[in-house]
Amino acid sequence: MRIYGDLNSGNCLKVKWTCDLLGLPYEWIAVDTMKGESRTPLFLALNPAGQVPVVAFDDNRALAQSNAIIRYLARGSDLIPTDPWLAAKMDEWLFWEQYSHEPYIAVCRFQMVYLGKPAGELDPDKVRRGHAALARMEQHLAQSAFLVGDTVSLADVALLAYTRMAEQGGFALDRYPAVQRWIARAESGLGLSSLDRVPRPAS
C-alpha cells in the first residue's frame, strides 16, 4: 500500500506508527500540503477532500481520515481491545479526539508553527478549549496508565499524535503531569525512537 502524508502532521503520524508497530509494509509518499500538493488533480482523484493522510491499496481502493485508516489497518491486532465494551470506549476516544482535541491543539500549533502567529494572538476560545481537552485527559490519566485498558490501544495512538506536540501550539504541558507521564509510556509502547518522538517544525 501507499501512504500519502506529511511527517509534520500528527494525523499522518498515526498511520505511520500503526503500520510500523504492526509490521505492515508500505511506501511513504510525501505530500507538502503547504505547497498545494494535496490539491492536484492526481491527489484529488484519491481524496476529493484534498486532505492527508490517504492510503491507496493495490486493488485501487483508497481510504482517508486518519482514525478510519488506523481502525481498518489494526483490525484483528492487539491495538483494538477484544472486549466489546473496551473497543467501544476506544472508539469514544477516537471520536472525541477529532471533535474536542484536534480542532484546538492542532489548529493552535498550525497557526504558530506554519503561520508564524505568536501565542498572544491565538483565538482565546481555541486556547480555552485546548486546555479543557488536556484537563480532561489529565483527569483520566491520573487514574489510568493508558486511555483504555492496561496497554496501548488506538486511543493512545490517536491522542498521542498532537498531544505530544501541544507545546508547539502554546500549551504548557508542565501543567499536566499525568499527561506527560502518559506521553512517555505511549511513546515507549509504540516503540518510538528519540528521533521519531517530536518532529521538527517545517522551516
Side-chain angles (χ1 to χ4, degrees):
M1 61 183 167
R2 300 179 305 283
I3 303 174
Y4 294 80
D6 180 349
L7 291 178
N8 286 299
S9 161
N11 285 328
C12 295
L13 287 174
K14 297 176 194 176
V15 179
K16 183 180 187 300
W17 293 342
T18 300
C19 288
D20 290 344
L21 186 62
L22 298 178
L24 301 177
Y26 62 89
E27 176 187 1
W28 184 270
I29 298 176
V31 177
D32 191 334
T33 58
M34 299 301 292
K35 293 181 179 179
E37 292 178 359
S38 63
R39 296 291 175 175
T40 66
L42 180 62
F43 188 90
L44 292 173
L46 288 172
N47 181 13
Q51 299 171 326
V52 290
V54 179
V55 175
F57 297 94
D58 290 340
D59 59 6
N60 295 320
R61 294 185 299 173
L63 185 62
Q65 294 299 319
S66 59
N67 288 350
I69 293 169
I70 62 176
R71 194 68 165 81
Y72 177 74
L73 295 176
R75 65 196 187 282
S77 78
D78 291 340
L79 287 174
I80 299 177
T82 56
D83 178 87
W85 176 255
L86 292 180
K89 295 300 287 185
M90 181 197 77
D91 286 335
E92 181 181 334
W93 282 110
L94 294 183
F95 287 116
W96 181 84
E97 183 263 344
Q98 286 289 283
Y99 185 80
S100 299
H101 182 284
E102 192 265 1
Y104 311 114
I105 303 294
V107 169
C108 288
R109 173 184 178 260
F110 177 84
Q111 292 180 350
M112 290 186 66
V113 172
Y114 294 96
L115 303 184
K117 184 177 289 190
E121 294 183 9
L122 295 173
D123 181 345
D125 185 61
K126 283 186 169 53
V127 173
R128 179 183 65 81
R129 289 173 180 263
H131 278 296
L134 292 169
R136 167 75 180 91
M137 294 178 67
E138 178 73 14
Q139 180 186 41
H140 180 80
L141 291 165
Q143 307 297 325
S144 178
F146 296 99
L147 290 171
V148 177
D150 299 323
T151 187
V152 168
S153 73
L154 289 183
D156 301 290
V157 174
L159 268 301
L160 178 65
Y162 280 115
T163 302
R164 71 189 189 126
M165 296 188 283
E167 291 187 333
Q168 295 179 1
F171 298 95
L173 289 179
D174 56 3
R175 294 172 54 178
Y176 307 102
V179 170
Q180 289 183 309
R181 291 191 295 270
W182 164 79
I183 288 172
R185 285 192 299 268
E187 287 180 336
S188 178
L190 291 171
L192 300 182
S193 71
S194 59
L195 295 178
D196 291 328
R197 289 189 174 171
V198 177
R200 294 167 54 191
S203 59

